Amino acid sequence: MARVLNGLAIISICALGLTACAKTDEPGVASPGQQQGPVKIGISLPLTGDFSEPGKGIQEGYQVWADRVNAKGGLLGRKVELIFRDDASDPNRVSSDYESLITQDKVNLVFGPFSSRLVIPAAKVAESYNMLFVEPAGAAKEVFEQGFKRLFYAAPAIASDHYNYLADYLIKLPADKRPKTAAYASLDDPFAQGTAYGLRDKLVAAGIKTVVDEVYPPETTDFSPIAAKIAAAEPDLIVGGTQFEDSVGLVRALQELKVQPKLAAFSTGPTLSEFPDAVKGAAEHIISPVGWSATSSFTGNAELVKRYKEMFGGDANEDAANGFTVGQVVEAAVTAAKCADAAKACQDKLTEHLRQATFDTVVGPLSFDDQGRPEQAHMIQQYVDGKVEIVLPEQAKTAGIVYPKKPW
């Protein structure tokens, strides 16, 4: 199932038994019709460490996409082989992973990791080798300030725009109902802070006062001091810039202190199916930005949901959808460019196609600006009567937003 190179685990989708792959020692260099062997795709993910929960979801999305492609005959008639490495959520390790995937494993293509903290160093390596770098979860503004020419973020919106629909809703409320104060607590991570502070900046501009603004390190496990500060401030709105474990820790700590905001919003964590059980019944009316819905009719979505259940026995989540979306985008580019190899000429063609095209994906139509940022927006989900509902925007909603929320 895995082999070890330089002490790092490498997992091939072939070894996982999820699909059949041809064997080759060298990547193909002839024309598409003559190329032999699989299209090898190199990927480093945080399968352990701080981001292991979403990292696993991204991996599963990549695997579902590869299984689907191989069932149709592969890319340009060549089977897809995914080569995974575990970067342990370490920015230094992710750099060496991509370096060796490109130079030692001789991969034909690369897909990105999870988290802006890992995407930036990984993209620097890919860029240095002229490799197209489509990534599923690097949405912080810093990602797009590095001057990358080959990076594209395959999701509906960058981090600072995730809460745009919620900001518009709150700002447009009548003055007597609009929240007057807000507390913010964020993981020290570019994506997490980007989501929270994107909303904060819009609300501050609308006159909603910030009464708490806390940033905590990734290793934080005791959230009671932050919760105590929030409790003392009695904010109308609580916003968490979170991943999974810290979102659970914050909610539990706030619940224990009986903090009762009018609205509570947390990024990423509540979008995972494990969240309601993890917070022991406190999920009701919690809000999150979400780039994907299992019930949408977007291209390939029904197949993603079906194949995920067949392969992993559970329900697909947004992380899996983001991984699947990367595959859809690269698949369309490979089909259009008629190549899938690491040569600069091919990578140039693939990159140019992404700059110009619009892609039909499970998260909706995607197009990119000149910095690789998506030009669409996130939906807003809320737990209503124990069920995840889309409450914003109006044209996508499955239920009306509940505001104020019920007490914890």
Side-chain angles (χ1 to χ4, degrees), residues 335-364:
T335 301
K338 296 181 173 58
C339 69
D341 61 74
K344 183 176 182 297
C346 175
Q347 297 293 317
D348 286 347
K349 289 179 183 178
L350 297 173
T351 302
E352 189 59 28
H353 185 72
L354 262 78
R355 290 195 182 112
Q356 297 178 357
T358 297
F359 300 86
D360 291 325
T361 77
V362 296
V363 299

Side-chain angles (χ1 to χ4, degrees), residues 132-147:
L132 173 69
F133 193 79
V134 184
E135 49 97 355
K141 66 177 182 177
E142 292 88 343
V143 171
F144 309 99
E145 295 172 348
Q146 308 296 314

Side-chain angles (χ1 to χ4, degrees), residues 243-263:
Q243 301 292 352
F244 178 72
E245 291 181 359
D246 54 322
S247 68
V248 171
L250 272 169
V251 169
R252 284 181 175 175
L254 291 165
Q255 186 184 25
E256 287 174 5
L257 292 178
K258 295 182 170 54
V259 182
Q260 303 298 355
K262 292 181 179 178
L263 200 65

